[in-house]
Coordinates of all heavy atoms in Angstrom, one line a residue:
S1 N 21.7 119.8 238.1 CA 21.7 118.6 237.3 C 20.5 117.8 237.5 O 20.5 116.6 237.1 CB 23.1 117.8 237.6 OG 23.0 117.5 239.0
G2 N 19.5 118.2 238.3 CA 18.4 117.5 238.4 C 18.0 117.2 239.9 O 18.8 117.5 240.8
T3 N 16.9 116.7 240.1 CA 16.5 116.4 241.5 C 17.0 115.2 242.1 O 17.0 114.2 241.4 CB 14.9 116.3 241.6 OG1 14.5 117.6 241.1 CG2 14.5 116.1 243.1
R4 N 17.7 115.1 243.2 CA 18.2 114.0 243.9 C 17.1 113.1 244.5 O 16.1 113.8 244.9 CB 19.2 114.4 244.9 CG 20.5 114.9 244.3 CD 21.5 115.3 245.4 NE 21.0 116.5 246.2 CZ 20.8 116.4 247.4 NH1 20.9 115.3 248.1 NH2 20.3 117.5 248.1
K5 N 17.2 111.9 244.4 CA 16.1 110.9 244.8 C 16.0 111.1 246.3 O 14.9 110.9 246.9 CB 16.4 109.6 244.3 CG 16.5 109.4 242.8 CD 15.3 109.8 242.1 CE 15.3 109.4 240.6 NZ 16.4 110.1 239.9
I6 N 17.2 111.2 247.0 CA 17.2 111.1 248.4 C 17.9 112.4 249.0 O 19.1 112.6 248.6 CB 17.8 109.8 248.9 CG1 16.9 108.7 248.7 CG2 18.0 109.9 250.4 CD1 17.6 107.3 249.0
S7 N 17.4 113.0 250.0 CA 18.2 114.1 250.7 C 18.5 113.6 252.0 O 17.8 113.0 252.7 CB 17.2 115.4 250.7 OG 16.9 115.8 249.6
K8 N 19.7 114.0 252.5 CA 20.2 113.6 253.7 C 20.5 114.9 254.6 O 21.4 115.7 254.3 CB 21.5 112.8 253.6 CG 21.3 111.4 253.1 CD 22.7 110.6 252.8 CE 23.3 111.2 251.7 NZ 24.5 110.3 251.3
I9 N 19.6 115.1 255.6 CA 19.6 116.3 256.4 C 19.8 116.0 257.9 O 19.1 115.1 258.4 CB 18.3 117.2 256.2 CG1 18.2 117.6 254.7 CG2 18.4 118.4 257.0 CD1 16.9 118.4 254.5
Y10 N 20.8 116.6 258.5 CA 21.0 116.4 259.9 C 20.9 117.7 260.7 O 21.0 118.8 260.2 CB 22.5 115.9 260.2 CG 22.9 114.6 259.3 CD1 23.0 114.5 257.9 CD2 23.0 113.5 260.1 CE1 23.3 113.4 257.4 CE2 23.3 112.3 259.4 CZ 23.4 112.2 258.2 OH 23.7 111.0 257.6
R11 N 20.7 117.6 262.0 CA 20.8 118.7 262.9 C 22.0 118.5 263.9 O 22.0 117.3 264.4 CB 19.5 119.0 263.6 CG 18.4 119.6 262.7 CD 17.1 119.9 263.4 NE 16.2 120.5 262.6 CZ 15.0 121.0 263.0 NH1 14.7 120.9 264.2 NH2 14.1 121.5 262.1
A12 N 22.7 119.5 264.2 CA 23.7 119.1 265.1 C 24.1 120.4 265.9 O 23.7 121.6 265.5 CB 25.1 118.9 264.3
L13 N 24.5 120.2 267.2 CA 24.8 121.4 268.0 C 26.4 121.5 267.9 O 27.1 120.5 268.4 CB 24.5 121.1 269.5 CG 24.4 122.2 270.5 CD1 23.4 123.3 269.9 CD2 23.9 121.8 271.8
V14 N 26.9 122.7 267.6 CA 28.3 122.7 267.4 C 28.9 123.8 268.4 O 28.1 124.8 268.9 CB 28.7 123.2 266.0 CG1 28.2 122.1 265.1 CG2 28.1 124.7 265.7
T15 N 30.2 123.7 268.6 CA 30.8 124.8 269.5 C 31.0 126.1 268.8 O 31.3 126.0 267.6 CB 32.1 124.3 270.0 OG1 33.0 124.0 268.9 CG2 31.9 123.0 270.9
G16 N 30.9 127.2 269.6 CA 31.1 128.5 269.0 C 29.8 129.0 268.3 O 29.0 128.4 268.1
I17 N 29.9 130.3 268.0 CA 28.9 130.9 267.2 C 29.2 131.1 265.7 O 30.2 131.9 265.4 CB 28.6 132.4 267.8 CG1 28.4 132.1 269.3 CG2 27.4 133.0 267.2 CD1 27.1 131.3 269.7
L18 N 28.5 130.5 264.8 CA 28.6 130.8 263.4 C 28.2 132.3 263.0 O 27.0 132.5 263.4 CB 27.8 129.8 262.6 CG 28.7 128.4 262.3 CD1 28.8 127.5 263.5 CD2 27.9 127.8 261.1
V19 N 29.0 132.9 262.3 CA 28.7 134.3 261.9 C 27.7 134.3 260.7 O 26.6 135.0 260.8 CB 29.9 135.0 261.6 CG1 29.6 136.6 261.0 CG2 30.9 135.2 262.8
D20 N 28.0 133.5 259.7 CA 27.2 133.5 258.5 C 26.0 132.5 258.7 O 26.0 131.6 259.4 CB 28.0 133.0 257.3 CG 29.1 133.9 257.0 OD1 29.0 135.1 257.1 OD2 30.1 133.5 256.5
D21 N 24.8 133.0 258.2 CA 23.6 132.2 258.3 C 23.7 130.8 257.5 O 23.1 129.8 257.8 CB 22.4 133.0 257.8 CG 22.1 134.1 258.8 OD1 22.4 134.0 259.9 OD2 21.4 135.1 258.3
K22 N 24.4 130.9 256.3 CA 24.6 129.7 255.6 C 26.0 129.6 255.1 O 26.6 130.7 254.8 CB 23.7 129.8 254.3 CG 22.3 129.8 254.5 CD 21.3 129.9 253.3 CE 20.0 129.8 253.6 NZ 19.1 129.7 252.4
V23 N 26.5 128.3 255.1 CA 27.9 128.2 254.8 C 28.0 126.8 253.8 O 27.2 125.9 254.3 CB 28.8 127.8 255.9 CG1 30.2 127.6 255.5 CG2 28.8 129.1 256.9
I24 N 28.7 127.0 252.8 CA 28.8 125.7 251.9 C 30.3 125.3 252.0 O 31.2 126.0 251.9 CB 28.6 126.1 250.5 CG1 27.1 126.4 250.3 CG2 29.0 124.9 249.5 CD1 26.7 126.7 248.8
I25 N 30.4 124.0 252.5 CA 31.7 123.4 252.6 C 32.0 122.3 251.6 O 31.3 121.4 251.4 CB 31.9 122.7 254.0 CG1 31.3 123.7 255.0 CG2 33.4 122.3 254.3 CD1 31.2 123.0 256.5

């Protein structure tokens, strides 16, 4: 639907090992 004016990107250390390289929640 178009380019968003602002992107919000965080980095976090989480417990456990994520299997998938990318996940959409």
Side-chain angles (χ1 to χ4, degrees):
S1 61
T3 303
R4 287 179 293 118
K5 303 295 189 303
I6 293 176
S7 295
K8 292 176 283 186
I9 301 175
Y10 297 74
R11 288 186 179 181
L13 196 60
V14 301
T15 58
I17 304 299
L18 270 75
V19 176
D20 297 328
D21 292 335
K22 295 184 178 181
V23 180
I24 294 180
I25 311 170

